[in-house]
Amino acid sequence: MKIIVTPSQPYSDQKPGTSGLRKKVKIFQQEHYLENFVQSLFDTLVVPNDAVLVVGGDGRYHNRQAIQTIISMAAANGFTRVLIGQGGILSTPAASHVIRKYKTFGGMVLSASHNQGGIHGDFGIKYNIGNGGPAPEKITDEVFAKSKVIAEYKISDLPLVDIDTIGETQFAGAVSDQTFTVQVIDAVQDYADLMQSLFDFKAIRQLLASGFEMKFDAMHAVTGPYAKEIFVNRLGASTDSLMNCEPSEDFGGGHPDPNLTYAEELVKIMFAGENALDFGAASDGDGDRNMILGQNFFVTPSDSLAVLAANATLVPAYKNGIAGVARSMPTSGAVDRVAAKLNIPSFETPTGWKFFGNLMDAGQVTLCGEESFGTSSSHVREKDGLWAVLFWLNVIAVKQMSVEAILKAHWLEYGRNVYSRHDYEAIPTEAANSVIAHIKSQFSSLPGQVFGSYTVKLCDDFSYHDPIDGSVSNNQGIRVLFTDGSRIVFRLSGTGTEGATLRIYLEAYEPDSAKHHLDAQVALAEMIRIALQISQLVEKTGRVAPTVIT
Ligand code: VG1
Ligand code: CO
């Protein structure tokens, strides 16, 4: 193998966002674009001798090509072995597991997650460190700095590598008696084994054999093969209980985002009145998100986290209890109430899974979650869609209650944190910035102001002080807190690739069980009006309604 040092020009836009670098495929296809980013990353990491790298993606358009480039560059940058998911496919949680199980140096996941795929869609790349979790800001900031001044990258002259056949291919290294190995692995089995070690598969198998009807929607994305192995082969579910389980490069032309808007097909099945099934679930492009539905019933992700925390001891892996919980700041406080009752700590972190890693490594938390359909535990260092689905099935199998009954009982015990998120997607960046600036300009005047039945207590821009490594992350979202504990959060997305996406998160606590059945949009109507009044969003963006409501 020869190493070729190739001159290159820097790009100015390679700043990783909430979860890696995400851009339109066309941007990634520009000359040296991917190479520049990967070299900036390798230079930041300082690769030790004998380092092993995991590489896989969600199978979207450009995945296979990018993998070949990364293999070639890894060989030229000191890695001695690369582990590839068969066919170049690895879900995000499976990649995290592989990194941990084989104690590798780190891994790259090629995905733009829930963003659309195909040639006109998005592509993305994220780096996970040796604990299996997303690289912390310290690393991503340095990668960005390096990408702005890069002048050359190193690549080898390896031929195209077979990434479809399980097994190893060895190449002579650039230095004599060194070899470089590409190992194609079956990550589905590893991941399914991990799930089987955590949950009571026997109880779930019995539940599925008892007439309990479920449907899992992989949304034409990465979890299809994992779902077949777990639900059909290991849990005895019928093949009818799976839908859209063949991964495709453009996700069947859809938007692989498991929410009430984009998982339309599944939602129709689960809200079919008397014909609705008992349980429905979906996951996103790279398999780290989940949506849980009961019969004609939607579980908000914030509630899902709280229910899992409250019932954790019903699951074999957590039977001795959980150490603590963590949630992203915009996620509702429902899980905090559970933590208080269990007498365990609860942490509030900025949006993005990378902020949970330190807490899990330090053994301070076991369960973590985000309102954006992400839930997981310390079994990996990523959010994990199928894990959440199996957790719910395990809880249902033990409690023998419907999803709705579990939620109603939970609200009766803890009260309900009524919650909703309104997204305004692809608005002009300037308009979005002016909305944020307008809210910030009221920071000193808002406290004490009365809006209908609510009084503002305080507003700020959320800052996080990591209790483990002492790092500080500023500007993580604007919070408007009211005296009764309700709140509105405004935040600009860090994963969108078109203009700006403004998210408004709304939360109000309802202790009165007579009101627990109310639709969130109805219960939050006044908060929604206040959010629009404070932000002047309609006036400044011309948008009269959100793109997505969850
Ligand atoms: C969104 C979510 C955030 C999540 C991130 C990555 O980020 O809000 O909670 O961690 O996506 O999820 P943002 O910056 O657009 O709000 V995934 O499934 O794309 O890896
Ligand atoms: Co995802």
Side-chain angles (χ1 to χ4, degrees):
M1 174 204 308
K2 268 213 309 275
I3 293 176
I4 303 155
V5 178
T6 311
S8 185
Q9 300 282 321
Y11 288 91
S12 60
D13 64 346
Q14 299 196 320
K15 185 174 170 52
T18 313
S19 176
L21 181 69
R22 283 185 201 177
K23 300 282 174 194
K24 295 273 169 224
V25 166
K26 289 260 144 62
I27 292 189
F28 264 104
Q29 285 174 329
Q30 295 173 97
E31 197 180 23
H32 310 315
Y33 193 87
L34 175 69
E35 291 86 341
N36 277 10
F37 186 75
V38 172
Q39 188 64 54
S40 304
L41 175 66
F42 286 158
D43 290 345
T44 301
L45 297 175
V46 190
V47 180
N49 288 336
D50 288 336
V52 179
L53 183 71
V54 175
V55 183
D58 63 10
R60 67 180 59 226
Y61 185 84
H62 202 53
N63 191 41
R64 299 178 71 91
Q65 213 173 326
I67 287 178
Q68 295 290 346
T69 303
I70 293 169
I71 293 174
S72 244
M73 289 187 68
N77 280 277
F79 287 92
T80 51
R81 181 181 287 263
V82 174
L83 299 185
I84 312 273
Q86 190 176 20
I89 307 271
L90 277 181
S91 76
T92 288
S96 183
H97 177 52
V98 170
I99 294 170
R100 294 167 66 77
K101 179 170 177 186
Y102 298 102
K103 302 195 166 47
T104 69
F105 180 66
M108 281 190 204
V109 182
L110 306 172
S111 170
S113 188
H114 54 290
N115 297 18
Q116 270 179 301
I119 189 165
H120 302 296
D122 292 350
F123 191 72
I125 174 167
K126 51 184 174 180
Y127 180 72
N128 286 24
I129 56 176
N131 75 351
E137 278 184 329
K138 205 172 121 246
I139 292 181
T140 52
D141 287 349
E142 197 178 329
V143 174
F144 180 45
K146 287 200 162 40
S147 75
K148 286 191 286 193
V149 295
I150 190 167
E152 60 186 36
Y153 63 84
K154 285 187 276 179
I155 192 159
S156 62
D157 63 349
L158 285 188
L160 282 187
V161 181
D162 173 8
I163 56 171
D164 295 295
T165 316
I166 290 185
E168 292 191 1
T169 319
Q170 284 203 344
F171 301 91
V175 183
S176 60
D177 34 281
Q178 248 184 23
T179 53
F180 174 71
T181 307
V182 176
Q183 183 181 354
V184 178
I185 56 168
D186 178 350
V188 171
Q189 294 303 325
D190 278 339
Y191 179 81
D193 289 348
L194 174 66
M195 292 302 117
Q196 196 157 356
S197 75
L198 301 173
F199 298 106
D200 187 346
F201 269 35
K202 196 167 153 229
I204 300 175
R205 183 178 258 279
Q206 271 167 9
L207 174 77
L208 297 179
S210 70
F212 180 90
E213 289 185 302
M214 69 165 274
K215 191 76 115 182
F216 174 77
D217 185 355
M219 302 191 83
H220 303 281
V222 77
T223 52
Y226 298 87
K228 282 184 200 161
E229 174 62 19
I230 293 170
F231 293 117
V232 178
N233 297 350
R234 301 200 184 194
L235 290 169
S238 73
T239 47
D240 274 1
S241 47
L242 304 183
M243 64 195 270
N244 301 324
C245 278
E246 298 303 329
S248 83
E249 286 196 330
D250 69 346
F251 308 116
H255 212 126
D257 197 354
N259 59 39
L260 294 175
T261 303
Y262 295 124
E264 204 187 348
E265 224 183 320
L266 176 71
V267 169
K268 234 191 219 156
I269 296 171
M270 294 306 301
F271 284 83
E274 281 184 7
N275 295 324
L277 310 181
D278 300 298
F279 182 81
S283 61
D284 73 332
D286 60 331
D288 55 359
R289 296 186 178 206
N290 73 90
M291 174 169 71
I292 303 293
L293 300 171
Q295 199 172 24
N296 306 298
F297 192 84
F298 166 66
V299 183
T300 68
S302 295
D303 277 343
S304 177
L305 174 64
V307 168
L308 300 189
N311 292 289
T313 52
L314 303 181
V315 168
Y318 315 104
K319 67 173 191 298
N320 297 326
I322 50 179
V325 294
R327 60 166 174 86
S328 66
M329 179 274 280
T331 303
S332 96
V335 75
D336 301 356
R337 295 175 191 280
V338 176
K341 195 156 197 173
L342 294 174
N343 203 17
I344 55 172
S346 61
F347 296 85
E348 185 179 38
T349 60
T351 295
W353 209 263
K354 56 179 172 257
F355 295 102
F356 294 135
N358 279 348
L359 293 168
M360 286 194 271
D361 285 352
Q364 306 247 2
V365 304
T366 308
L367 298 191
C368 303
E370 295 192 277
E371 51 62 45
S372 54
F373 298 83
T375 344
S376 193
S377 83
S378 48
H379 68 288
V380 287
R381 291 292 180 277
E382 282 280 5
K383 51 192 192 259
D384 191 342
L386 284 167
W387 170 91
V389 177
L390 290 165
F391 201 136
W392 265 95
L393 288 172
N394 195 148
V395 170
I396 293 168
V398 176
K399 288 181 100 87
Q400 294 289 317
M401 285 163 77
S402 72
V403 172
E404 180 170 354
I406 290 174
L407 252 296
K408 294 259 162 84
H410 185 90
W411 291 337
L412 200 60
E413 186 172 353
Y414 296 94
R416 178 179 175 196
N417 287 66
V418 187
Y419 190 83
S420 182
R421 181 176 112 184
H422 288 198
D423 291 337
Y424 292 80
E425 294 180 346
I427 49 185
T429 307
E430 271 175 31
N433 288 340
S434 82
V435 172
I436 296 293
H438 180 66
I439 309 168
K440 283 191 174 173
S441 73
Q442 303 165 75
F443 270 8
S444 56
S445 59
L446 277 174
Q449 273 193 50
V450 179
F451 294 88
S453 36
Y454 296 93
T455 305
V456 178
K457 186 173 155 203
L458 86 104
C459 38
D460 66 0
D461 202 337
F462 181 64
S463 283
Y464 179 60
H465 298 250
D466 187 308
I468 312 299
D469 69 11
S471 61
V472 178
S473 303
N474 294 316
N475 305 317
Q476 298 296 327
I478 296 175
R479 309 188 291 180
V480 180
L481 310 180
F482 297 91
T483 49
D484 71 341
S486 307
R487 55 176 197 155
I488 303 173
V489 173
F490 299 90
R491 220 190 121 252
L492 290 176
S493 155
T495 58
T497 58
E498 235 180 287
T501 291
L502 182 70
R503 307 197 195 285
I504 304 182
Y505 310 80
L506 305 134
E507 177 178 2
Y509 181 64
E510 180 54 81
D512 180 1
S513 64
K515 293 187 186 154
H516 285 169
H517 65 283
L518 283 179
D519 179 78
Q521 303 311 311
V522 175
L524 293 168
E526 192 178 356
M527 297 280 291
I528 295 168
R529 274 199 303 277
I530 298 170
L532 295 179
Q533 188 183 337
I534 292 178
S535 64
Q536 294 285 295
L537 184 141
V538 179
E539 293 77 358
K540 290 183 182 298
T541 66
R543 292 292 183 85
V544 291
T547 326
V548 178
I549 294 181
T550 48

